[in-house]
Amino acid sequence: MTAAPLVLMMAGGTGGHVYPALAVATELRNRGYAVEWVGTRRGLEAVRAGAGEDTFLLGCGCPLGPAVGVVDGMRIGADVAPWWTNLAMRTVMRDQHGISTRHAVRNTVTRAFMHQRLWANDPDCLMVRDTNTRLTLDEVQLLATVMGLTDGMLVISDRLTEVAPSRREVVDAAVSFTGGLARTVERFDRGLHELVVSRHPTEVLVGVCNHGPRPEARELDLRSVPELTEPWPDVVDEVWTGARLVVDDGRVDLGAVPRHGARVLRVPTRGG
């Protein structure tokens, strides 16, 4: 008697991964396949043993704790969507979880500390398209800011030959942000990380994020960024507007940061 062919399935974390996997597993069994479900530490270790140490193992929709020390990379949050948020996310999901770019941004910054400590962070894709999307250019720039500055995997979801030059420039900027040592700063009164700092050999990049529903006037005190030391430069470059901003006694007036937007300062370091 011939043994049934074996299919190994791994899914977990959210219903968006689990329920489709269960449906596929049921259909496979109906067609005569043997199905084994992997969802425990022992199961993950079995996958690693079967794949070999030379294989890059990426967890997706996988429980974070049991995967530490087993996977090489890990999806760390919600799927990026072609919208910032929507009615279902704000009501049924209580604006706490679900597929939306807002939640992807939140997960990217709150779990940035895991990168290169537990695994390589996978924040999902950078979506820059200007058609079939409700994301504004400001929202795309905010997404690119946190993905680039936190230095996880940077994967593009779009055919770049089919997007506008202004959106392709966002990709170029995001790539230029990578390669630094990242740190995120939380505003405890708001529960959001509004400052993302990335230290590079010749400069420090400082991302100032506005997750809120309206534009906000922002000023950055360079003294609040430990990666920076005096003497301060006379001017710093802001990436998204292309402006050169004056440094006055260590302070930089960013003006109004748009809703769901960001500003990124390139601050040269001594010797940079």
Side-chain angles (χ1 to χ4, degrees):
M1 182 176 178
T2 304
L6 175 65
V7 176
L8 189 65
M9 302 193 68
M10 178 169 60
T14 65
H17 296 93
V18 173
Y19 296 134
L22 286 172
V24 172
T26 300
E27 180 62 24
L28 287 171
R29 283 178 172 162
N30 291 340
R31 297 186 183 192
Y33 289 84
V35 178
E36 292 291 339
W37 189 278
V38 178
T40 66
R41 175 75 180 191
R42 289 180 60 191
L44 290 171
E45 289 171 344
V47 172
R48 166 54 73 194
E53 291 299 324
D54 294 334
T55 300
F56 187 92
L57 197 59
L58 176 64
C60 183
C62 178
L64 301 182
V68 174
V70 180
V71 302
D72 302 291
M74 176 66 79
R75 267 289 300 277
I76 54 169
D79 293 352
V80 171
W83 56 78
W84 181 251
T85 185
N86 59 23
L87 182 61
M89 299 303 108
R90 293 191 299 271
T91 54
V92 178
M93 299 295 189
R94 297 176 296 148
D95 211 21
Q96 296 299 312
H97 52 86
I99 298 173
S100 75
T101 297
R102 181 180 190 272
H103 296 150
V105 167
R106 176 188 291 169
N107 292 147
T108 299
V109 292
T110 56
R111 293 174 175 169
F113 72 93
M114 298 176 178
H115 183 58
Q116 303 295 13
R117 293 180 175 89
L118 304 182
W119 42 57
N121 278 359
D122 173 12
D124 200 22
C125 59
L126 174 59
M127 187 179 294
V128 301
R129 68 191 63 167
D130 53 341
T131 58
N132 299 317
T133 182
R134 297 203 300 270
L135 291 174
T136 67
L137 179 59
D138 291 323
E139 290 164 348
V140 170
Q141 290 173 346
L142 175 56
L143 182 64
T145 296
V146 299
M147 285 187 173
L149 293 182
T150 56
D151 198 42
M153 303 181 199
L154 190 60
V155 180
I156 312 303
S157 72
D158 305 295
R159 291 179 181 237
L160 295 182
T161 56
E162 298 179 3
V163 302
S166 61
R167 299 289 178 115
R168 292 200 296 270
E169 290 171 0
V170 172
V171 176
D172 293 338
V175 172
S176 76
F177 297 160
T178 63
L181 182 62
R183 181 175 64 88
T184 62
V185 181
E186 182 176 2
R187 281 284 302 272
F188 290 101
D189 58 331
R190 301 191 189 196
L192 294 169
H193 290 70
E194 296 189 338
L195 201 67
V196 184
V197 182
S198 179
R199 187 175 69 222
H200 293 250
T202 60
E203 64 181 356
V204 173
L205 304 179
V206 184
V208 180
C209 306
N210 178 14
H211 304 276
R214 59 187 61 86
E216 292 188 10
R218 297 289 180 86
E219 179 184 79
L220 177 66
D221 189 339
L222 300 183
R223 285 177 285 261
S224 68
V225 181
E227 291 83 353
L228 297 172
T229 57
E230 297 187 66
W232 314 120
D234 295 326
V235 294
V236 292
D237 293 322
E238 198 290 307
V239 174
W240 297 127
T241 61
R244 303 208 79 191
L245 303 178
V246 174
V247 180
D248 183 9
D249 190 29
R251 292 181 171 84
V252 182
D253 184 359
L254 301 175
V257 178
R259 66 190 294 268
H260 311 158
R263 293 291 180 258
V264 180
L265 301 182
R266 292 188 179 274
V267 185
T269 56
R270 283 180 288 182

